[in-house]
Amino acid sequence: MNTTSIATSAPLTARLRAGGTWKPRTLDTLRIADAELRAVLEGRRNLVIDGAMGTMLQATGLAVGERPELLSITHPAQVRAIHEAYVAAGAEVITANTFGANALKLGDAATVAEVFAASIARAREAGARYVAGDIGPTGSLLRPLGTLSFDEAYELFAEQARAAEAAGADLIIIETMTDLAEARAAVLAVKEQTNLPILATMTFEADGRTFLGTTPEAAAVTLDALGADAVGINCSLGPAEIRPFVKRMLSVTSKPIMVQANAGLPRVEQGKTVFDIGPEAYAHAVAAIVEDGASIIGGCCGTTPAYTSLLAELARERTPRVRRIAPALTVASAQRCIALPAHEHRIAVIGERLNPTGKKRLQQALRQENMDYLASQAISQEEQGADILDLNVGLPELDEVRLMERASEQLQASTTLPLQFDATDPVAIEAACRRYPGKPIINSVNGAAESLDAVLPIAAHYGANIIGLTLDDEGIPATAEGRLAIAQRIVDAAEAAGIPRERILIDCLVMTASTNQEQVAEILRAVTLVKQRLGVATTLGVSNVSFGLPARAVLNATFLASALGAGLDAPIINPGSARYMDVIRSFRVLNGEDAGSAAFIERYANAPDPYQQAVAAPAAAADAAETAPVQTGDENSIEHLVISGRRGETRRAVEALISQVDALELIDAHLIPALDEVGRRFDAGTLFLPQLMASAEAAKAGFDVIRAHLGSTAATKGAVCLATVQGDIHDIGKNIVKMLLENYGYRVFDLGRDVAPEAIVACVREHDIRLVGLSALMTTTVPAMADTIEQLRRTAPGVKVMVGGAVLTPDYAREIGADFYAKDAAEAARLTEACFADKPYA
Amino acid sequence: MIAAVPQRLRPLPDELATPMRYRLATCASGEPAGIATDRAEVLRYLGYRGQAIDEALEMRIEHIADELERALEPHGTSRIFSVAIATDASGQPCIRLAGSAIELHGRDAYRRLKDACAAAVFAVTLGMESERRLRALAARGPVAAAVGDAACTALVEAAADRIDATVRHAAAAYGLSSGTRFSCGYGDCPLSDQRALIDALDARRTLGITLAPSNLMIPTKSVTAIMGLFEGAPAHDAPTASCAGCTVRNGCAFRAHGDVCWRAPSPSAKESV
């Protein structure tokens, strides 16, 4: 990887490698307007922020849907007058009229700098004590659910942050966020581009989650760790409805909490929009929130200076009390927050299956960038009871940095479990942590100076937790005290870098009982010592203990139970092992985590004792819906099973025949003819789409058996690149084509959806692709398809292009320069066969 | 931009002018009057034309449709605006919705709304949970992905039908009749008109709907629609959806595939494409 790409993927590491310095962000590194504002940020003083701008602007007759930020330039007097009314009502912070002033929303209407300069000037003119630059959402949804990349969002926010500081803002308010990834991008941009204090709030629905599923806890711990100086809730609902969510935030962060509630829902009375909570009721409800511990208060939609003056009164009458939260290790995804309190023994299972070491299928999936396979592994670990997922994509020949970023992004869409980034290259670790919407774990740092210097700044800067391995340049100490000494060194270095000890897990490193039997007891003692002396959480890769011994799972389970007894908090295990999960679930009864043993009883009340079971266990679990008996011996049955879409039975039939019949014979005489027949029936209309796909799934199950049998000697007919074009997010059709082509023996590089032309060109060149399949579902994205074809023609003249999608027709396909038009997936497969056979397709 | 020509701009009754928000529980969630996924529609979206289906496939489809119905709760919002006829930047007549920045271009929207006194605009979505569910189904395999997609489409259409009926009912109470609903991106109404519509409904904030640069909605299982409200009978508005009056029928990609962009109003009309 060259230096420019490191600078993009991992700017902090790039800077450190270039000899640059880094120091943790504290209140002392910020430009804070005065001692009073500093007292606010230290939680010693209340602060009153103004109320709604939109409501006030609408009262002046602004049409719904116009860019209100431009009024700071076009109607300065009106905007200033609104600010003046809030100042007069007692607002200490005036929020400049810049909420949607980003390059994306402003377009050509004005520059970001112009709008921030004008808006901040209007707030100053009004006599504001503090002026806040206001940053709202970009208006576009971030990947993986949307199309905007984290880096693009960051750039939009960075431009706003610089403009706000240049125009003389005293602080930045980031608000109304529903996407934790976007909120993080904004906080990071302000933190990296300015020295201003950051107040960050998100918007929650009645179910206690944002539209993207973020909980108050996940938002609070993530934004706190990243460096927001106050976190909180705005907009959403009325203050009474918000109060329980505020309490949830108060319990997980010691940062000041900010609240700007709505005045209820709008309705129209005599032609005017009104809100259903009046100033007195509103202030009364906010007073309760302030009593709970929130210290920065203001209004949102529907509030006016009348509300602000009551808030100012209640803030003046009170001084925030000192809040103490129970220390806990918190790990968060955008949807879920896992907490391990320091003073209670709780267990979090870290799933270890997303690590290619010794896993051939995962290795293959990573090589082919088959992210669906990673997603399915993540989902099954979640179902099996994992709380956190370790992610390791390290294979010698692959680009770990890019893969780590891509895998992390894909997993965010398919699992709600927090991730643990497992890599040795600091660039890969930083690239993933920088863009992760949550508070992940870094696996790992060790006691060697080189490791500490490279990894601790990343954990500190991005607000990640960190696993510290008790080894250094001298190796792993033999005694518990030796391990404790390294752990102590790691904790000291981390705290010096601004990482509190609640964010540290120590791994005392499991040795193999077969070679270091005397060490096993030392490891357990080290776990206890580290917890007692340092007050940090502990983790262990449990299964190492049994290496080289028989009945590994038995030994591992016993060791796991012992380690939990010694105080282990976060075992790294395979949650697919019932034996380990039996230990976990029973220990959660013993440590009091499973209150009333409810979960244990629900799971085991009617479960048979595994040791009482008959010895003859079924060889393979049958698919739930497919329990019909297997007809073996009859080779023709494979064809029938594929055509009728019976996945489990096809797999078993192929398994039964594989040792008797030549693999190629199975493919060429049975599976492929079956697929051809399915294609013909689909064309004739006697099968419909799900039946075609079920057949393809059945055939795939058969091919998987054959490939496993042949091992790496399985040849492919050629490589095909598939993508849904840029701007389009429909991928069902493309995925069907992918499965069919894989069945026909092609190696498919699936680039996913919303793919830039450049990425397709790069894939074609890197893998010497002969055929590219492009899909577009909307008329609006066909131009992107045309552009992709044009770029391919220019840069890879030999490549053929096949297109498909609901809005395409043969004429349209020709017009945009495609070689082939496939009306459906079955035809795409036939076109591919013809293309690779160099035959014209008729 | 040329100012709207004030034309029949009567103030709306407060009840109609108030933005409405909807939480549409499904039957599967235990709400007896809730909305339900029409299984026949699910099959239709999957390209079903009367083929024989075995029980295993039927079970798979039913299982996924049921799972999604239980997991999802559609949310929606509607708002009624007075209709004004204006001229757009290129000098063509267009429809403007008073008090909003919505400007609807093309002959279809013009034909449907020019005689309306007001227009109801609404948005409904299955929420981000539907996106996550669809991703999880995709990881299970293409059959699950396609069935899930079809089931979600049928569910969001059912939700749109419910809001459509609610608005129709509210308008009827004030003596207004309602035309057939239509959406940006169909006929010659450009998809780009959708942006102002999403803004006017404040749908990003109230429903979590965002627009991709290509103007596609995310969550993808979201619907926006516009429906003319008339004093007296709906004028220039086909009583049932068909391709007959559509301005782009000859170059239509849906029709090229033997499909239509609209949904038949009743099961009996389904075969007539």
Side-chain angles (χ1 to χ4, degrees):
Chain A
M1 174 171 281
N2 61 37
T3 43
T4 43
S5 57
I6 293 182
T8 318
S9 294
L12 177 58
T13 302
R15 197 166 86 223
L16 292 174
R17 283 186 181 171
T21 55
W22 173 88
K23 63 176 186 173
R25 180 181 194 273
T26 67
L27 290 184
D28 293 329
T29 65
L30 300 184
R31 189 166 63 73
I32 301 173
D34 58 23
E36 298 284 295
L37 186 59
R38 174 145 188 150
V40 169
L41 300 177
E42 288 172 351
R44 295 184 287 109
R45 180 189 185 282
N46 289 328
L47 182 69
V48 180
I49 302 182
D50 56 4
M53 167 62 73
T55 304
M56 300 285 282
L57 286 174
Q58 275 174 35
T60 68
L62 180 81
V64 188
E66 283 176 20
R67 281 264 61 84
E69 294 81 12
L70 297 175
L71 298 176
S72 299
I73 299 170
T74 57
H75 296 71
Q78 284 93 324
V79 172
R80 188 187 310 122
I82 294 171
H83 290 327
E84 280 167 350
Y86 278 118
V87 171
E92 296 166 299
V93 176
I94 292 298
T95 311
N97 181 29
T98 56
F99 179 81
N102 63 59
L104 208 60
K105 282 186 173 172
L106 288 175
D108 298 332
T111 67
V112 171
E114 284 163 2
V115 175
F116 270 82
S119 296
I120 287 171
R122 299 298 84 82
R124 282 272 173 242
E125 289 156 10
R129 175 168 188 162
Y130 309 115
V131 175
D134 191 22
I135 296 181
T138 60
S140 285
L141 189 64
L142 267 66
R143 294 163 69 98
L145 296 176
T147 54
L148 195 69
S149 74
F150 179 90
D151 291 359
E152 288 166 334
Y154 176 92
E155 286 307 325
L156 290 168
F157 293 130
E159 184 182 15
Q160 290 178 290
R162 287 189 298 263
E165 188 165 56
D170 298 309
L171 55 117
I172 300 287
I173 293 178
I174 293 164
E175 59 166 332
T176 325
M177 293 289 175
T178 58
D179 182 351
L180 190 53
E182 190 172 10
R184 271 190 90 258
V187 170
L188 192 65
V190 177
K191 167 173 147 168
E192 291 184 344
Q193 303 288 332
T194 78
N195 294 316
L196 298 176
I198 305 167
L199 316 184
T201 58
M202 294 189 76
T203 295
F204 297 84
E205 298 307 300
D207 63 357
R209 290 179 178 270
T210 69
F211 283 126
L212 278 103
T214 297
T215 62
E217 290 87 352
V221 303
T222 299
L223 299 176
D224 171 351
L226 184 62
D229 300 294
V231 297
I233 298 175
N234 82 315
C235 206
S236 313
L237 312 153
E241 290 80 30
I242 280 183
R243 188 180 171 199
F245 309 154
V246 177
K247 281 186 174 170
R248 289 165 63 182
M249 282 194 168
L250 284 162
S251 71
V252 294
T253 173
S254 51
K255 293 270 174 76
I257 295 283
M258 164 168 168
V259 179
Q260 294 186 285
N262 284 346
L265 291 174
R267 66 173 187 278
V268 178
E269 261 177 26
Q270 277 137 35
K272 291 240 184 281
T273 305
V274 297
F275 287 78
D276 55 20
I277 305 175
E280 285 76 20
Y282 184 93
H284 184 73
V286 172
I289 296 176
V290 171
E291 292 298 327
D292 291 338
S295 53
I296 302 176
I297 52 175
C300 204
C301 304
T303 62
T304 62
Y307 294 68
T308 305
S309 68
L310 295 178
L311 296 187
E313 200 176 302
L314 76 89
R316 261 197 310 276
E317 290 165 352
R318 293 169 173 82
T319 306
R321 59 186 164 78
V322 180
R323 291 194 295 118
R324 296 237 185 279
I325 63 158
L329 173 95
T330 49
V331 191
S333 69
Q335 289 87 26
R336 212 191 275 208
C337 179
I338 309 284
L340 295 174
H343 303 301
E344 286 172 64
H345 192 193
R346 292 282 178 269
I347 302 164
V349 171
I350 302 177
E352 67 178 13
R353 300 294 296 166
L354 289 173
N355 183 328
T357 311
K359 298 185 193 75
K360 285 222 172 76
R361 278 207 67 183
L362 183 57
Q363 290 174 5
Q364 189 195 5
L366 288 171
R367 287 203 185 91
Q368 299 181 350
E369 303 210 8
N370 177 358
M371 293 298 148
D372 279 347
Y373 181 75
L374 271 75
S376 68
Q377 291 295 297
I379 291 166
S380 44
Q381 289 187 88
E382 181 168 358
E383 287 166 357
Q384 287 154 357
D387 299 297
I388 295 161
L389 297 179
D390 187 87
L391 175 64
N392 182 318
V393 296
L395 277 177
E397 68 277 29
L398 299 181
D399 179 352
E400 187 183 17
V401 177
R402 196 179 58 76
L403 260 185
M404 189 69 121
E405 267 187 55
R406 178 149 188 234
S408 167
E409 188 178 284
Q410 290 297 311
L411 291 178
Q412 288 156 31
S414 33
T415 174
T416 60
L417 297 186
L419 296 184
Q420 166 168 305
F421 298 116
D422 184 355
T424 46
D425 181 1
V427 178
I429 293 173
E430 183 181 350
C433 286
R434 182 175 177 86
R435 296 162 182 86
Y436 185 67
K439 187 181 180 188
I441 302 176
I442 293 171
N443 186 11
S444 57
V445 70
N446 63 51
E450 194 195 358
S451 171
L452 293 169
D453 291 345
V455 180
L456 290 182
I458 298 171
H461 187 69
Y462 297 110
N465 299 295
I466 188 144
I467 291 179
L469 308 181
T470 56
L471 65 84
D472 58 15
D473 294 331
E474 313 277 298
I476 305 173
T479 63
E481 283 73 16
R483 287 178 161 99
L484 173 66
I486 295 179
Q488 176 79 60
R489 201 190 314 148
I490 293 171
V491 170
D492 289 347
E495 289 195 324
I499 304 167
R501 62 182 66 205
E502 293 86 41
R503 278 178 27 204
I504 303 171
L505 294 116
I506 292 294
D507 183 343
C508 292
L509 295 168
V510 174
M511 308 296 280
T512 303
S514 62
T515 57
N516 300 68
Q517 195 166 8
E518 72 295 344
Q519 287 253 321
V520 176
E522 284 298 295
I523 296 158
L524 296 174
R525 207 160 64 79
V527 168
T528 309
L529 267 183
V530 161
K531 280 194 67 127
Q532 283 174 348
R533 302 278 176 82
L534 304 178
V536 297
T538 54
T539 182
L540 282 178
V542 171
S543 56
N544 289 352
V545 76
S546 62
F547 195 77
L549 291 170
R552 292 191 61 180
V554 175
L555 197 68
N556 290 344
T558 306
F559 179 73
L560 174 61
S562 315
L564 294 172
L568 174 65
D569 305 279
I572 304 176
I573 55 174
N574 172 11
S577 159
R579 213 181 282 261
Y580 305 159
M581 293 311 289
D582 284 346
V583 172
I584 296 288
R585 284 185 281 258
S586 43
F587 197 86
R588 278 175 171 156
V589 172
L590 306 183
N591 70 353
E593 183 174 349
D594 181 1
S597 311
F600 188 81
I601 292 167
E602 189 188 330
R603 173 131 196 140
Y604 293 102
N606 298 310
D609 182 334
Y611 300 103
Q612 299 292 328
Q613 267 188 332
V615 270
D623 285 7
E626 302 170 42
T627 48
V630 183
Q631 298 166 28
T632 49
D634 178 7
E635 290 178 7
N636 290 328
S637 70
I638 290 182
E639 240 165 312
H640 173 73
L641 292 172
V642 168
I643 292 168
S644 44
R646 296 179 185 277
R647 185 169 37 170
E649 288 164 56
T650 305
R651 187 181 61 234
R652 288 192 289 278
V654 173
E655 274 167 354
L657 284 172
I658 189 91
S659 49
Q660 308 158 27
V661 184
D662 179 48
L664 287 177
E665 160 85 7
L666 270 175
I667 295 175
D668 293 338
H670 300 287
L671 289 169
I672 294 291
L675 282 175
D676 290 343
E677 176 60 22
V678 166
R680 273 191 295 275
R681 291 194 193 181
F682 178 71
D683 260 0
T686 49
L687 292 180
F688 77 127
L689 190 63
Q691 291 169 323
L692 169 80
M693 289 188 286
S695 293
E697 283 183 358
K700 182 175 184 306
F703 283 116
D704 285 347
V705 174
I706 293 168
R707 279 190 199 114
H709 181 76
L710 292 178
S712 55
T713 60
T716 72
K717 288 197 215 162
V720 181
C721 166
L722 294 181
T724 300
V725 299
Q726 191 158 42
D728 208 320
I729 47 183
H730 298 87
D731 61 359
I732 287 178
K734 181 214 69 190
N735 292 344
I736 299 166
V737 172
K738 173 188 173 186
M739 188 169 58
L740 284 181
L741 294 188
E742 284 178 343
N743 279 344
Y744 277 99
Y746 296 93
R747 182 166 180 199
V748 177
F749 289 87
D750 177 10
L751 302 185
R753 51 191 188 177
D754 186 26
V755 183
E758 295 74 20
I760 296 168
V761 167
C763 177
V764 165
R765 295 176 126 189
E766 188 185 339
H767 300 292
D768 199 18
I769 304 277
R770 278 176 58 191
L771 178 65
V772 173
L774 299 176
S775 156
L777 257 290
M778 303 291 292
T779 39
T780 45
T781 54
V782 175
M785 185 178 260
D787 181 34
T788 304
I789 295 174
E790 197 266 328
Q791 289 203 30
L792 281 169
R793 294 288 177 245
R794 221 164 355 97
T795 53
V799 74
K800 299 283 185 197
V801 181
M802 167 169 76
V803 299
V807 295
L808 286 167
T809 59
D811 289 346
Y812 209 173
R814 238 188 328 272
E815 204 175 296
I816 61 173
D819 298 291
F820 312 113
Y821 163 76
K823 71 177 166 54
D824 55 40
E827 186 168 69
R830 286 192 293 270
L831 282 166
T832 305
E833 291 274 271
C835 176
F836 277 86
D838 267 332
K839 283 184 201 145
Y841 173 75
Chain B
M1 192 178 297
I2 296 163
V5 182
Q7 192 191 39
R8 228 182 303 124
L9 269 189
R10 277 180 216 140
L12 290 163
D14 286 349
E15 196 195 319
L16 290 186
T18 293
M20 295 293 296
R21 290 173 72 169
Y22 308 85
R23 283 173 71 174
L24 302 162
T26 61
C27 293
S29 71
E31 171 60 48
I35 57 169
T37 310
D38 181 342
R39 302 317 199 248
E41 280 295 297
V42 177
L43 286 176
R44 190 176 81 89
Y45 293 131
L46 288 168
Y48 181 66
R49 288 196 176 81
Q51 291 90 343
I53 309 178
D54 68 11
E55 200 183 334
L57 182 60
E58 203 177 322
M59 290 283 290
R60 276 174 97 173
I61 294 173
E62 177 54 33
H63 181 75
I64 289 170
D66 181 65
E67 174 188 323
L68 290 167
E69 242 179 7
R70 284 173 196 280
L72 302 174
E73 184 183 61
H75 281 56
T77 181
S78 70
R79 195 163 169 188
I80 297 173
F81 299 94
S82 296
V83 166
I85 291 170
T87 313
D88 68 14
S90 62
Q92 294 295 314
C94 70
I95 299 291
R96 295 207 61 191
L97 301 188
S100 82
I102 299 174
E103 202 175 80
L104 298 168
H105 305 89
R107 284 158 57 196
D108 285 324
Y110 187 78
R111 186 171 50 83
R112 285 167 182 273
L113 295 180
K114 70 182 173 58
D115 297 311
C117 63
V121 178
F122 68 81
V124 61
T125 180
L126 300 188
M128 282 300 169
E129 183 61 19
S130 64
E131 289 293 308
R132 254 187 297 280
R133 294 268 166 181
L134 289 174
R135 302 277 173 140
L137 286 170
R140 272 196 230 163
V143 175
V147 172
D149 188 78
C152 282
T153 303
L155 185 58
V156 76
E157 284 295 333
D161 286 348
R162 181 60 63 89
I163 295 178
D164 181 310
T166 309
V167 171
R168 217 170 265 276
H169 187 76
Y174 288 89
L176 299 176
S177 67
S178 307
T180 312
R181 72 171 187 258
F182 67 100
S183 298
C184 301
Y186 293 97
D188 70 347
C189 183
L191 193 60
S192 52
D193 284 357
Q194 183 147 263
R195 203 159 278 274
L197 209 140
I198 292 285
D199 283 347
L201 288 171
D202 201 9
R204 196 201 65 74
R205 203 180 59 74
T206 58
L207 300 177
I209 297 177
T210 53
L211 288 181
S214 51
N215 291 314
L216 296 179
M217 283 184 282
I218 310 170
T220 49
K221 298 306 170 187
S222 304
V223 169
T224 57
I226 306 140
M227 189 161 84
L229 303 181
F230 302 84
E231 287 164 338
H236 298 274
D237 187 51
T240 53
S242 80
C243 297
C246 180
T247 46
V248 295
R249 67 188 305 258
N250 291 326
C252 175
F254 284 95
R255 288 167 58 84
H257 290 268
D259 201 353
V260 291
C261 70
W262 44 269
R263 203 161 52 101
S266 70
S268 60
K270 264 173 205 158
E271 297 306 313
S272 60
V273 165

